[in-house]
Amino acid sequence: METIERTFYSLKEVRQITGLPDATLHYWEKHFEELNPRKDGHGNRYYSKEDIELIKRIKYLRDEMKITRIEAIRNELQQDHKQVDVRQRATEILLRLRKELYDIRANI
């Protein structure tokens, strides 16, 4: 099945993609000026693919690299975002692979 490339995603969709609660996303919006989703006249948020990638990078730094201070995450994003991208992608691939292997093992 072919997926359609989208420009913007709702808060609910971003919550499902990232596994983060609304409160965390709102908190990060206040502390990372690069994360600035569009808002409609009703205050609904719409995130771009770039916003979602930034959220994933922040989450990776917090959860996998154990960097919890906002200022430290900001510094890490500014200094070495290419290396973070590579590590993040590698981690995502390994997690997907592990899930696939568990699924295969369950079906044996």
Side-chain angles (χ1 to χ4, degrees):
M1 185 161 93
E2 187 176 321
T3 58
I4 299 172
E5 195 67 29
R6 301 205 12 225
T7 305
F8 292 99
Y9 298 82
S10 70
L11 177 62
K12 179 180 178 181
E13 291 169 319
V14 173
R15 189 175 59 232
Q16 291 171 340
I17 292 167
T18 64
L20 294 168
D22 295 358
T24 300
L25 294 168
H26 297 315
Y27 179 80
W28 287 355
E29 286 174 32
K30 292 177 185 175
H31 290 88
F32 296 97
E33 60 185 44
E34 306 91 350
L35 182 57
N36 192 16
R38 290 187 179 187
K39 295 178 186 167
D40 66 11
H42 303 287
N44 297 317
R45 291 166 166 79
Y46 294 96
Y47 296 82
S48 68
K49 289 190 80 156
E50 292 79 17
D51 290 331
I52 295 170
E53 288 306 312
L54 177 59
I55 291 166
K56 287 180 177 181
R57 270 190 258 141
I58 295 168
K59 182 178 179 192
Y60 172 79
L61 289 168
R62 184 194 70 179
D63 296 349
E64 301 299 323
M65 301 300 293
K66 306 297 184 208
I67 302 172
T68 56
R69 289 185 17 252
I70 295 294
E71 192 60 38
I73 293 173
R74 272 195 213 119
N75 289 338
E76 193 71 27
L77 288 171
Q78 289 175 355
Q79 290 179 8
D80 198 6
H81 74 77
K82 287 185 182 181
Q83 187 176 2
V84 169
D85 287 343
V86 170
R87 287 186 297 211
Q88 177 185 350
R89 286 190 193 118
T91 300
E92 289 172 357
I93 290 168
L94 290 172
L95 290 172
R96 277 196 309 266
L97 181 59
R98 180 169 64 180
K99 182 187 179 312
E100 288 177 25
L101 290 172
Y102 280 133
D103 291 345
I104 290 170
R105 183 175 165 193
N107 290 324
I108 293 180

